[in-house]
Amino acid sequence: MADTADVVVLSGGISHERDVSLRSGRRVADALTGVGFGVRMLDSDPRLLPALLERRPSIIWPVLHGASGEDGSLRSLLDAAGLPYIGSRGDATRLAWDKPTAKRIVATAGGATPRSVTLTREVFREIGAHAAIDAILAAFPEPAVVKPARGGSAQGVTVVEEPDRLPRAMMDAFTYADEALIEAKVTGTEIAVGVIEHEDGAQALPAVEIVPRSGVYGFDERYTAGATRFYTPARIPAAAAAAAGELAVLAHTALGLRHLSRSDMIVDAEGRPWFLEVNVMPGLTETSLLPQALKSTGRDLGDAYAALTRLALAQP
């Protein structure tokens, strides 16, 4: 199948994460080429859909990060056009892309997620910034994390340890989305748990522990080699690691995701994992977490991506 399948890798786009997407796409293309697949790379631009409809590839890898690839819109177009692809379908992707919605669905399914509130830019302006800030501080006297309700790569995310930092944190979040999510900060070990589907179902990969040298796992810490130390498997108790894997699979299943995902979590001092958010197309660059988890199991990335491709090709 690998000799005859025509694979198109989509990367780039116009989101804030374009450069990351290009790096991820190149890594996927190289890995699949290395195991015998014929691969062509395409950017997300006005020529994309006509080119796909004319070519009708066997399978598409939409390695697009940010809104252009993870808000469900492009995937819904692929669904409507009958073009097969790797990853979650448009409707499930849309749910996962919205962090407050994803948190609510995971919590309803039984997963733990930090207490939070979501505020739109319009309400923030309408009721007045001072009143909104006072209400947030009253509800979150402890340290909090402010992030855009939609988006990735930690862009617009601020850890608020001091009350006077909250107004700027809100403005930074609103730079990337029309809604800001204010979430109680959980102190503990930061981990990411990938999920890969096989013929017999979804399976959690070993947790990756994240230790940024700056103390904050921001954009630069994610994509600059040496800026963050990673430990795979994470240095957490076996029971906590098992619970984190179960939570990642629960999130993947509850949100109706497909093929692969990565859930970000914090494991507290009692060993309880707390769900923060899920990525339907995790970064696949040389410093990204899901590839590190795959490698820790002894699997070759080309073989792992080929297995996902064959799984998708075999599905209706």
Side-chain angles (χ1 to χ4, degrees), residues 23-224:
R23 288 164 59 185
S24 289
R26 173 48 60 191
R27 298 279 289 187
V28 171
D30 289 347
L32 289 173
T33 300
V35 292
F37 281 87
V39 181
R40 180 186 181 193
M41 293 188 68
L42 292 178
D43 205 332
S44 180
D45 59 31
R47 297 167 296 179
L48 175 61
L49 199 55
L52 291 175
L53 291 171
E54 179 181 359
R55 186 183 182 94
R56 288 279 169 180
S58 305
I59 198 76
I60 299 166
W61 268 81
V63 192
L64 292 163
H65 306 313
S68 62
E70 296 182 84
D71 68 357
S73 299
L74 176 60
R75 292 165 189 250
S76 293
L77 280 176
L78 297 179
D79 290 333
L83 293 165
Y85 57 91
I86 301 289
S88 302
R89 296 204 180 277
D91 52 355
T93 298
R94 190 171 294 108
L95 294 175
W97 174 245
D98 188 86
K99 293 180 176 67
T101 299
K103 280 168 60 72
R104 184 172 64 252
I105 291 173
V106 171
T108 300
T113 186
R115 183 171 57 87
S116 64
V117 65
T118 305
L119 188 66
T120 65
R121 190 202 317 264
E122 288 74 15
V123 168
F124 190 73
R125 290 173 174 171
E126 187 174 316
I127 70 171
H130 290 297
I133 292 295
D134 288 344
I136 294 169
L137 290 174
F140 294 86
E142 71 276 26
V145 179
V146 179
K147 61 183 75 173
R150 291 165 292 279
S153 291
Q155 293 181 312
V157 177
T158 306
V159 178
V160 178
E161 302 280 359
E162 302 295 333
D164 59 3
R165 293 195 62 196
L166 182 58
R168 179 52 188 262
M170 297 294 294
M171 291 299 99
D172 288 346
F174 286 141
T175 299
Y176 292 93
D178 291 332
E179 292 180 296
L181 174 67
I182 303 96
E183 188 174 62
K185 180 187 177 186
V186 177
T187 301
T189 303
E190 189 169 2
I191 64 170
V193 184
V195 171
I196 294 287
E197 289 189 4
H198 304 278
E199 291 181 357
D200 55 351
Q203 178 183 10
L205 295 172
V208 180
E209 180 181 350
I210 303 159
V211 185
R213 297 185 184 278
S214 67
V216 177
Y217 192 45
F219 185 88
D220 291 338
E221 287 76 13
R222 290 167 186 255
Y223 302 110
T224 302

